[in-house]
Amino acid sequence: MQIRAFAPADTEATVQLWQACGLTRPWNDPYQDIDRKLQVQPELFLVGTDADGAVMASIMIGYEGHRGWINYLAVHPSLQRQGHARRLVQLAEQMLTARGCPKLNLQVRAGNDAVLAFYASLGYVHDHSVCLGKRLIADN
């Protein structure tokens, strides 16, 4: 897998990847999420490509000066369990550390035990925090 910055031409393939991985939800427009990320730290939006240059993985990374975040970590289902996600997370950790980020947070949907086990294998622990959210702009 080759890792590079997301390019606008990757949009359709990236949305298809997220759909194949079950990451999209009706209340979040993935195209708007991409447009928003391209306005804020676009260099922290990465894709993994195969030998033919096709998008096979993605990760959105963010840092607002207090905590780092990972969103949209995805590897095509046919290519999972080969270390690609691990590489992307490790690269995110390196990029955030280089920016002086002291802590990385991420969210996993309740009941997604396979993903929780993946992150536990990378040293992530449950913070015993409650995640709250409030939609400020409706996507649909």
Side-chain angles (χ1 to χ4, degrees), residues 37 41-46 59-63 95 99:
K37 182 59 183 167
Q41 300 174 324
E43 72 281 7
L44 296 181
F45 185 8
L46 308 175
I59 188 168
M60 270 189 192
I61 308 160
Y63 179 50
M95 293 174 81
R99 289 175 178 250

Side-chain angles (χ1 to χ4, degrees), residues 32-51:
Q32 287 186 12
D33 284 348
I34 288 171
D35 288 343
R36 290 174 180 133
K37 182 59 183 167
L38 293 177
Q39 301 303 311
V40 180
Q41 300 174 324
E43 72 281 7
L44 296 181
F45 185 8
L46 308 175
V47 293
T49 59
D50 65 15

Side-chain angles (χ1 to χ4, degrees), residues 94-126:
Q94 292 167 4
M95 293 174 81
L96 289 168
T97 299
R99 289 175 178 250
C101 176
K103 185 170 188 261
L104 175 55
N105 286 65
L106 53 93
Q107 297 174 328
V108 177
R109 288 190 180 95
N112 197 342
D113 296 334
V115 171
L116 289 170
F118 164 73
Y119 282 113
S121 77
L122 297 178
Y124 287 77
V125 297
H126 188 280

